[in-house]
Amino acid sequence: MNIKTVFHIAYYELRHIFKNPILFIIVFIAPTVYALYFSAVYCHGVLSDIPLGIVDMDNSHLSDELVTAFSNNPYFETVEVSSYKELQEDMKTNKVRAGVVIPEDFEKDVRQNRHTETLNVYDASNLIWGLNTRKNTMEVIDKFNNQYTAEYLAGAGMNEHEATRVINSVSCNIVSWYNPTNSYPTYIILGLMMMLIQQLGLMSVGLTITREKEHNTWLHFVTSGVSWSKIVAGKCLPYFSANLTNFILVIFIAVEVAGAKMEGSILLMLSLGLLYVIIITFLGFVISLFSADSLQVTRYLALLSLPIFMISGYSWPATHIPGFLNTLASIFPSTWMMTAGRMVSVKGLEAGYLGETFAVMSLMAVIVLMFSLLYPHIEKKLPA
């Protein structure tokens, strides 16, 4: 293959990219801007300062201690609420996202060893607020119970060691592996970045041949005497280079700006990324070959982006998605890349655990490359 011819075609393609402002933005600007945008959204990582309304109907010393326990917890920002009705209104207007109602005779019942309970409510209309609030509320209540029990047992004549032994007669040691801080960027942002690379990459490459068809210049390429493999290589080279650069940039932004974890090998992640970019680049080229015009490409890719992410198993476990949707998801490279990316970045797994992923993605790369190179033969067999 005459490499000079390939670079001439690549230069021709680059000129078109720079002449078209929208295409230039899609190829060179949008991935970085979107990556920074996602990072800004998830920059806090862990949900804290949850507005918590407390209705103290007892106003006793013990209820004050419980209020103080919630106030001292870094995950809550307590809001004074005078009544249950006010708490309901504040929840409706999002002034508070959770509430604690301490009943009358709270201290009296506790001192007399009678069962009593607080009412803990939380806004589950948003699961991120809801699940975090529930977990943190239970932690505060458990800690308060343990502290009160220890004081009670000490007052009954037990020394500190004996009281601690009684309280901890049965305990649960919970250890969070891989994402101990429950960082949301670690959970979600890498998947968003991979979808970003896929959709923008496919769209940019998907416009390369449709543009030639619309400008009636495609015939000049196919009748120029240049071999088809050189046309494919020259047309894809700028987009491959841009997509690979964008992949590296968004990984850097996810880790350094958004604070996502990168426990595994960077080299392994780049190897996955290289395969991913090859698939996207040549898949976009194939889409462009078989599409009638640019509008068709952009419409279909826009329609597919959200469904592809939803069935990928990244934001909802694949084990709880219908089997036929899992089968459908397995044909998209983003499904494999997002899962493997999480295994490397969060779990720190080595290449030996990713044999199936490398095999499938390599097969995908071979298939799209073959379709790209064999298109002239396929086109002759298509009905006119």
Side-chain angles (χ1 to χ4, degrees):
M1 179 185 291
N2 187 341
I3 196 70
K4 189 174 180 181
T5 304
V6 173
F7 280 117
H8 274 305
I9 297 173
Y11 174 71
Y12 166 85
E13 192 63 29
L14 269 176
R15 285 183 59 191
H16 276 287
I17 294 173
F18 280 93
K19 284 181 181 178
N20 186 327
I22 300 299
L23 186 57
F24 176 80
I25 290 172
I26 292 173
V27 175
F28 294 109
I29 306 298
T32 301
V33 171
Y34 274 117
L36 290 170
Y37 173 75
F38 294 153
S39 299
V41 171
Y42 299 114
C43 63
H44 286 289
V46 178
L47 204 62
S48 60
D49 297 323
I50 301 169
L52 174 74
I54 300 181
V55 182
D56 186 355
M57 301 176 65
D58 192 44
N59 293 311
S60 61
H61 175 71
L62 195 61
S63 68
D64 284 343
E65 288 187 0
L66 182 56
V67 171
T68 300
F70 278 104
S71 299
N72 290 339
N73 188 285
Y75 294 107
F76 291 115
E77 182 180 349
T78 55
V79 177
E80 186 176 344
V81 181
S82 60
S83 66
Y84 181 74
K85 184 177 180 180
E86 184 181 345
L87 176 63
Q88 287 180 307
E89 290 300 314
D90 288 349
M91 287 279 275
K92 290 176 182 177
T93 60
N94 295 332
K95 182 178 178 181
V96 299
R97 291 288 185 169
V100 176
V101 180
I102 304 174
E104 294 178 354
D105 298 327
F106 172 74
E107 181 174 43
K108 180 181 176 182
D109 289 341
V110 172
R111 299 296 186 197
Q112 294 180 5
N113 297 325
R114 289 201 296 261
H115 176 74
T116 186
E117 61 182 20
T118 61
L119 174 64
N120 302 297
V121 297
Y122 60 88
D123 182 357
S125 64
N126 183 314
L127 288 181
I128 304 302
W129 284 109
L131 296 177
N132 278 272
T133 301
R134 180 178 178 176
K135 176 178 71 73
N136 296 328
T137 299
M138 294 305 298
E139 287 178 359
V140 172
I141 294 294
D142 287 345
K143 185 176 180 181
F144 178 81
N145 271 332
N146 290 340
Q147 184 176 345
Y148 174 78
T149 303
E151 292 174 357
Y152 177 83
L153 294 175
M158 285 189 178
N159 59 41
E160 182 178 351
H161 177 72
E162 291 172 327
T164 301
R165 189 173 60 186
V166 170
I167 293 170
N168 297 325
S169 56
V170 177
S171 63
C172 177
N173 185 23
I174 299 176
V175 179
S176 177
W177 289 1
Y178 308 126
N179 188 12
T181 62
N182 295 316
S183 168
Y184 201 70
T186 295
Y187 163 68
I188 195 68
I189 201 164
L190 186 66
L192 293 176
M193 299 294 193
M194 294 305 100
M195 278 301 301
L196 171 70
I197 291 295
Q198 174 176 288
Q199 294 307 107
L200 292 179
L202 289 177
M203 186 174 294
S204 61
V205 191
L207 300 176
T208 180
I209 303 302
T210 55
R211 182 193 66 237
E212 303 288 356
K213 294 175 183 177
E214 290 165 352
H215 294 166
N216 296 317
T217 54
W218 182 230
L219 190 60
H220 297 307
F221 271 99
V222 295
T223 59
S224 64
V226 178
S227 69
W228 179 250
S229 60
K230 292 178 184 177
I231 294 174
V232 173
K235 281 285 188 180
C236 292
L237 181 59
Y239 299 101
F240 170 79
S241 303
N243 289 335
L244 185 59
T245 302
N246 288 330
F247 178 88
I248 295 170
L249 277 174
V250 299
I251 292 295
F252 175 82
I253 292 170
V255 174
E256 297 299 329
V257 179
K261 287 181 67 176
M262 182 54 69
E263 292 294 323
S265 164
I266 291 290
L267 184 60
L268 180 56
M269 182 65 81
L270 290 177
S271 300
L272 287 165
L274 182 62
L275 263 180
Y276 189 49
V277 167
I278 290 172
I279 297 167
I280 288 169
T281 303
F282 286 100
L283 178 58
F285 187 76
V286 170
I287 290 172
S288 191
L289 286 170
F290 285 94
S291 299
D293 52 47
S294 300
L295 184 59
Q296 192 178 76
V297 173
T298 53
R299 277 178 175 173
Y300 290 154
L301 289 178
L303 285 172
L304 287 172
S305 59
L306 183 58
I308 290 173
F309 184 77
M310 289 176 66
I311 66 175
S312 66
Y314 195 85
S315 62
W316 183 253
T319 53
H320 291 67
I321 295 175
F324 75 95
L325 289 179
N326 275 321
T327 301
L328 180 62
S330 66
I331 70 174
F332 297 108
S334 56
T335 299
W336 295 90
M337 184 64 217
M338 285 190 286
T339 302
R342 177 178 277 171
M343 292 171 73
V344 174
S345 64
V346 182
K347 290 190 173 184
L349 299 189
E350 299 170 350
Y353 293 93
L354 302 173
E356 183 184 12
T357 300
F358 273 109
V360 171
M361 290 181 68
S362 297
L363 180 61
M364 288 181 175
V366 170
I367 290 172
V368 293
L369 183 57
M370 285 178 60
F371 265 97
S372 299
L373 295 176
L374 297 177
Y375 174 76
H377 304 286
I378 297 172
E379 186 184 31
K380 289 177 184 178
K381 297 180 181 180
L382 293 175

